[in-house]
Amino acid sequence: MILYLTKNITPAQIAELQLHLNQIGCDATMLAMHNALLSPNLKDTKIKEKYPFIKEVKSIDSPFQLPSLSFKKETLFEVNGIAIGTHFNNIIAGPCSIENEEQIFETATFLQKQQIKFLRGGAYKPRTSPYTFRGLGKDGLKLMKQAADANGMAVVTELIDLSLLEEVLQYTDIIQIGSRNMANFYMLAELGKVNKPILLKRGMQAKVNEWLLAADYIMSGGNEKIILCERGIRSFDPMSRNVMDIGVIPLIQSLSHLPIIADPSHGTGASQFVTAMSKAAMVAGANGLMVEVHPDPKKALSDSKQALSFLQFEKLMQEIELLKPTIKNPIDASYSIVA
Ligand code: PEP
Ligand code: MN
């Protein structure tokens, strides 16, 4: 339940209400941006009668609270002057890992010519094997920021551990939380205090409720700028890296106001299927895509099988262009920005 408070409520009255809620065994988190108290386990609908400084009571009938459509109808925020939200589409593209100066600059220059506004790349890579390339670390972050700046792009990079938060914040515009950290609840709660958008990938085993509750960890901590990203889930069949869950796109949109994008690169694990799944995701209503691109995919130090070459990426863009009239949220980089 969310208790919206009157404008002139005093800190003492808030404390009184919080104390009461705690005494009856309910949490009471202040949502400063909304001048409201979030109390998910409160059942007493008559509480408003006892406390005149409660203006309105809203029940939320799902385990996740703030990502729910009952909380708000739309999410809208801005990154580097680009509007992001449930009405809008964006493409985030770049290599799996930042490998060297030439690779990231070449990729950024190419993507900028394709009108892409968001450059992705990992500097700290969560690799299954400790014996594979794990990223350039801070040097990689610096290179990507320089390449993005030189091309007027925003940076998206993964945070793999809270100890790196300050460092990553210095270089990124959007913090990516990877599949392996979707259930790192302490980390998610800390991201609630951060004033940068979070791209929250779906855990490879996560149910929809678990994913939205992960978003709630961030939102209830005070950060409502979240983009969900479907990146495929594990199945029994080793034939494909993951099963890309296209059905989750309209499902999420029936439950949540949060934007949802699709990552067909990790979703399929194979470059030859990326275009088909990108189009499928767009038609299903995704608010954007995250696609891995590399100047020479065969030589990529991570995820080489799924990276698109520049030529393949150009073709993907052309195919998406053709789809524009049929998709729910046509990609339009010139969409007017709402503050
Ligand atoms: C990535 O985007 O390169 C990545 C590691 O993704 P995921 O967390 O989805 O595996
Ligand atoms: Mn990758």
Side-chain angles (χ1 to χ4, degrees), residues 96-97 99 124-135 158 160 180 241 266 300-304:
C96 179
S97 314
E99 298 170 1
Y124 292 95
K125 295 300 300 178
R127 301 304 302 278
T128 305
S129 163
Y131 310 115
T132 50
F133 179 63
R134 289 153 76 183
E158 181 170 352
I160 58 166
R180 291 153 191 83
R241 182 176 184 185
H266 294 86
L301 297 180
S302 59
D303 286 350
S304 68

Side-chain angles (χ1 to χ4, degrees), residues 42-167:
L42 177 67
K43 300 276 178 289
D44 178 7
T45 46
K46 298 218 171 83
I47 193 159
K48 190 166 172 283
E49 288 161 27
K50 290 176 226 152
Y51 293 92
F53 44 78
I54 298 175
K55 199 172 64 182
E56 193 196 330
V57 170
K58 202 184 257 182
S59 292
I60 298 185
D61 195 18
S62 56
F64 50 88
Q65 301 284 299
L66 303 184
S68 163
L69 274 175
S70 311
F71 175 56
K72 58 178 169 175
K73 295 289 164 242
E74 189 172 62
T75 286
L76 191 62
F77 54 88
E78 232 183 60
V79 179
N80 279 12
I82 302 160
I84 303 212
T86 38
H87 66 291
F88 189 66
N89 265 298
N90 283 291
I91 294 180
I92 300 168
C96 179
S97 314
I98 304 141
E99 298 170 1
N100 54 58
E101 183 172 347
E102 196 191 344
Q103 174 238 23
I104 194 69
F105 270 79
E106 219 184 295
T107 309
T109 310
F110 163 75
L111 290 172
Q112 182 266 332
K113 289 196 189 115
Q114 300 292 313
Q115 323 288 334
I116 302 300
K117 306 282 181 208
F118 296 92
L119 180 66
R120 65 144 286 148
Y124 292 95
K125 295 300 300 178
R127 301 304 302 278
T128 305
S129 163
Y131 310 115
T132 50
F133 179 63
R134 289 153 76 183
L136 297 180
K138 191 171 182 173
D139 291 340
L141 291 175
K142 285 184 187 162
L143 287 175
M144 182 154 68
K145 174 83 178 127
Q146 286 164 7
D149 284 351
N151 289 284
M153 298 170 85
V155 169
V156 182
T157 199
E158 181 170 352
L159 175 72
I160 58 166
D161 190 83
L162 268 182
S163 61
L164 296 163
L165 179 60
E166 287 313 309
E167 183 181 312

Side-chain angles (χ1 to χ4, degrees), residues 95-97 120-122 124-127 158 160 176-182 199 201-204 229-232 241-242 263 265-267 290 292 302-303 306:
C96 179
S97 314
R120 65 144 286 148
Y124 292 95
K125 295 300 300 178
R127 301 304 302 278
E158 181 170 352
I160 58 166
Q176 177 175 325
I177 295 302
S179 192
R180 291 153 191 83
N181 268 312
M182 188 216 81
L199 188 130
K201 287 195 150 193
R202 182 181 186 178
M204 56 189 87
C229 178
E230 161 62 25
R231 48 79 71 204
R241 182 176 184 185
N242 288 301
D263 169 354
S265 307
H266 294 86
M290 177 183 251
E292 287 187 344
S302 59
D303 286 350
Q306 67 194 37

